[in-house]
Amino acid sequence: MLDDGQVLLGLTISADEFRRTALGLNRNAPIRPGELRVKIGNMSFFDSASSIREEPIKNKDGSWNYLYALKLTQADTNGDGKIDVEGYNVLDHIDPNKNYQISAQFTSLEFEKNPAQTKSGNYRDSYGEIKGNWTVHTSVNGSKIIADTKVYPLNKEIPINEKGIEGVLSIKEVRVSPVSIKLHYTFTSSKGNAQIGTQVGVTVKDQNGRDLFEGGSGGGTNKVLEMDEEYRNDKDVTMLRFIPYIYDGKRETSKDLTSDAFNLKVNNK
């Protein structure tokens, strides 16, 4: 599945007893996928944040199921094998009238060796690697990617005037896909350092008060902070509550600015 900012793959990896013995595989350890590279059209995505979730129950035939997620935020746009664009946003570059060829490639599988066959005792030597080329191909229409992601304009400008920090928190929009919620916001300070000391941020909760945060990245200058944050999208989410907060880095305490909080109803179907 191709999301606004990530690709999701459902994988099954298996090995018969002969191959497990030949590899010196730890009997209770699974074989896991290595680094994933994704190509969409002429662009390649790699070296981005990724996660691998293994299903807790092994299949009856001894194989393992995984959900592999790779963020599509770092791109090689000229084919030289090096990342030349960071903070890439797929939705902003999709042509709704175009079909995109997509490939997802693994060149290695990883496993933990049987301790009895590891002589050196070094941690690195306890793991093995299987080289190969496992590639899946598909295509998707740009209109489908766009249709699956709902964009809600917010255009909020929230003045912040707290001890140690003053400025404006700007929230332009929120994007809701079938699996994730993405928020980009900036804070422009007129007093204080936007990245050091007292900092400004946004918490996103659902209608039941659950904090949906999963991860984020950001940067900027001492005057302007830019943040991209991602939140999990559970099927029962019908409302998002945005709560600005200030974080005191010295005391390591946080204060919600509830008077500036606001809600957004979302169509999560």
Side-chain angles (χ1 to χ4, degrees), residues 207-228:
Q207 70 278 3
N208 298 315
R210 293 180 298 175
D211 191 334
L212 303 176
F213 181 78
E214 283 205 328
S217 61
T221 67
N222 62 342
K223 289 298 181 183
V224 180
L225 172 68
E226 294 193 35
M227 292 296 299
D228 288 288

Side-chain angles (χ1 to χ4, degrees), residues 138-154:
T138 188
S139 64
V140 64
N141 186 267
S143 60
K144 178 69 166 59
I145 301 173
I146 294 172
D148 282 346
T149 302
K150 298 179 178 65
V151 180
Y152 296 90
L154 297 176

